[in-house]
Amino acid sequence: RSSGRWGRSSDFPLPSMTLDQATQFAMWVGMSADNLPEVESLHQGYLADYEAMADQYGDDLEAGYEAAQAEEGSSWMKRRRVRNQTTSTYRDKLSEREDRFFDDFSASMPAMADAELVGSIRRAHERARGRMTQRQGDWVLRQRPEAFIDVAALVLASDPTELSMEQRAEIVAALAIYEEQVQADVELLGEQMEKLQSVQQRLWTRGDGDEYDASMRSKMEQLRQKRRDELSRTALRLTELNRESIQGLLGSLSEDRGWPLREQYEREAYPDVFRDRDSLDEIFGQILSMDSVTPSERQQIESLILDHRSRYRELTDDMLDMAKVASLKSHVRCRLARRP
């Protein structure tokens, strides 16, 4: 099995909750460093169950594929149906396991911790996974990652230690508003995806060897385009909400405290800008770890690396600006398309 971006076999499409995320959750609710060993222990138990679940998923998926071979219909559609059903089953299982984690997490909190915020964190984490699944479920939506960022999940997985208690309270209040605003369109998007996929399945898949006549195919293609347009408009609203929300949050923070959050958002919104297979970071690390490098050589090398990274960042920022302009143009075209 090949390794995926989430540190797990790419066969298992559901990402785990990382220890870093669990640690930041603890910091947000007001736990101290003394509580972190217990959080780490809870996460170890969770991760062991996650790994076992991931292995069993692969076995169940293969069994489902074999059972579906005897059925009639397109091989591709049968495999897609089995994968969707199996993934849905394991999404429920993982959600139940994370409910247990957060129950134990809540029980381990000191009395002064924010118990109400645990619920917000749990919902944001679950919603973020669902939105990632939505994006993966449609080839057009995969090209619009910004619509599928969950701002609340992104913020609550960030490090809050540099924020004052007043700033934390302000951010938590803003995220509560975001949750109220985003939920309806996230659910609507899911419903619209099901409708679109239903039309596409009927249009692109032959039944018992029959095909639609030209007139029916034309009507179904019009319906498919209507469903696609509805889906695109909802994704656009989610993008707009994300942009407004992140800008509002960044506006309440100083530049140095807001920069890590801005960086994380932009990395998720414009992943192609930051994706670089030819990065020299690994080579730099290997050179600096060589015993044969003298102190003077190390100083020269570090100076060269600093110059390289400075220039690299400038080029990255230029690419990011171009990506934002292209996104804005697409944004305007979608707005014009919404006009009657």
Side-chain angles (χ1 to χ4, degrees), residues 185 187-197 227 230-235 237:
D185 270 339
E187 293 174 357
L188 177 60
L189 191 76
E191 296 169 3
Q192 291 172 334
M193 286 184 68
E194 290 181 1
K195 292 179 180 179
L196 174 61
Q197 290 167 357
R227 298 298 189 216
E230 291 170 347
L231 191 67
S232 296
R233 287 194 291 271
T234 304
R237 287 197 301 274

Side-chain angles (χ1 to χ4, degrees), residues 56-300:
Q56 187 61 45
Y57 170 88
D59 294 339
D60 288 355
L61 190 64
E62 291 303 320
Y65 286 159
E66 291 180 8
Q69 288 180 355
E71 302 174 5
E72 296 181 352
S74 163
S75 175
W76 177 80
M77 290 304 299
K78 288 188 294 185
R79 290 178 66 87
R80 182 177 181 276
R81 173 176 54 79
V82 168
R83 186 175 182 86
N84 286 345
Q85 291 174 346
T86 305
T87 301
S88 178
T89 297
Y90 275 83
R91 185 180 297 112
D92 292 340
K93 290 183 177 182
L94 184 57
S95 180
E96 290 174 2
R97 181 59 183 89
E98 291 183 349
D99 283 341
R100 286 164 46 204
F101 172 87
F102 279 101
D103 285 344
D104 294 339
F105 181 88
S106 297
S108 69
M109 295 193 310
M112 71 287 296
D114 188 346
E116 185 176 344
L117 185 54
V118 177
S120 299
I121 291 172
R122 176 73 185 101
R123 292 190 299 273
H125 180 70
E126 185 74 7
R127 188 174 58 246
R129 177 183 289 123
R131 298 179 75 175
M132 185 198 71
T133 301
Q134 287 180 333
R135 183 189 169 202
Q136 292 175 339
D138 184 87
W139 66 274
V140 173
L141 296 181
R142 283 197 292 270
Q143 312 307 313
R144 302 178 181 178
E146 190 173 7
F148 298 92
I149 299 171
D150 194 274
V151 172
L154 182 145
V155 172
L156 293 171
S158 66
D159 185 354
T161 54
E162 296 298 321
L163 301 175
S164 67
M165 296 307 296
E166 292 77 13
Q167 287 175 319
R168 293 192 196 190
E170 184 177 347
I171 289 173
V172 169
L175 295 183
I177 295 173
Y178 174 82
E179 182 176 8
E180 292 178 359
Q181 294 175 325
V182 78
Q183 189 61 38
D185 270 339
V186 169
E187 293 174 357
L188 177 60
L189 191 76
E191 296 169 3
Q192 291 172 334
M193 286 184 68
E194 290 181 1
K195 292 179 180 179
L196 174 61
Q197 290 167 357
S198 175
V199 174
Q200 290 180 163
Q201 182 174 345
R202 285 181 285 150
L203 183 60
W204 296 341
T205 306
R206 300 178 183 180
D208 298 324
D210 298 327
E211 295 184 43
Y212 297 110
D213 60 34
S215 175
M216 180 58 71
R217 290 189 67 85
S218 176
K219 291 179 181 179
M220 290 188 67
E221 176 58 33
Q222 291 176 8
L223 179 59
R224 187 193 72 81
Q225 189 57 54
K226 177 184 176 181
R227 298 298 189 216
R228 170 64 66 190
D229 290 343
E230 291 170 347
L231 191 67
S232 296
R233 287 194 291 271
T234 304
L236 176 59
R237 287 197 301 274
L238 289 167
T239 299
E240 291 173 337
L241 176 60
N242 278 349
R243 290 181 178 180
E244 292 170 1
S245 299
I246 197 67
Q247 288 302 323
L249 289 169
L250 292 172
S252 67
L253 300 173
S254 62
E255 181 65 26
D256 60 325
R257 293 184 177 178
W259 182 86
L261 185 59
R262 183 191 302 277
E263 176 84 356
Q264 184 61 32
Y265 182 88
E266 291 177 341
R267 283 182 176 275
E268 294 194 21
Y270 308 100
D272 290 342
V273 172
F274 295 91
R275 189 177 294 119
D276 184 5
R277 297 177 180 176
D278 300 319
S279 173
L280 298 179
D281 286 345
E282 184 176 349
I283 295 175
F284 291 155
Q286 291 173 353
I287 293 173
L288 292 174
S289 65
M290 293 173 60
D291 295 335
S292 59
V293 177
T294 66
S296 62
E297 289 174 336
R298 179 180 299 276
Q299 186 176 6
Q300 293 177 2

Side-chain angles (χ1 to χ4, degrees), residues 13-80:
L14 305 173
S16 68
M17 176 173 51
T18 66
L19 177 59
D20 183 61
Q21 285 177 314
T23 300
Q24 302 309 335
F25 295 161
M27 302 304 290
W28 271 101
V29 300
M31 290 190 187
S32 67
D34 294 337
N35 304 116
L36 296 185
E38 188 169 358
V39 172
E40 184 175 355
S41 178
L42 291 175
H43 185 266
Q44 287 176 346
Y46 157 82
L47 196 58
D49 290 343
Y50 173 87
E51 293 289 339
M53 200 179 298
D55 289 336
Q56 187 61 45
Y57 170 88
D59 294 339
D60 288 355
L61 190 64
E62 291 303 320
Y65 286 159
E66 291 180 8
Q69 288 180 355
E71 302 174 5
E72 296 181 352
S74 163
S75 175
W76 177 80
M77 290 304 299
K78 288 188 294 185
R79 290 178 66 87
R80 182 177 181 276

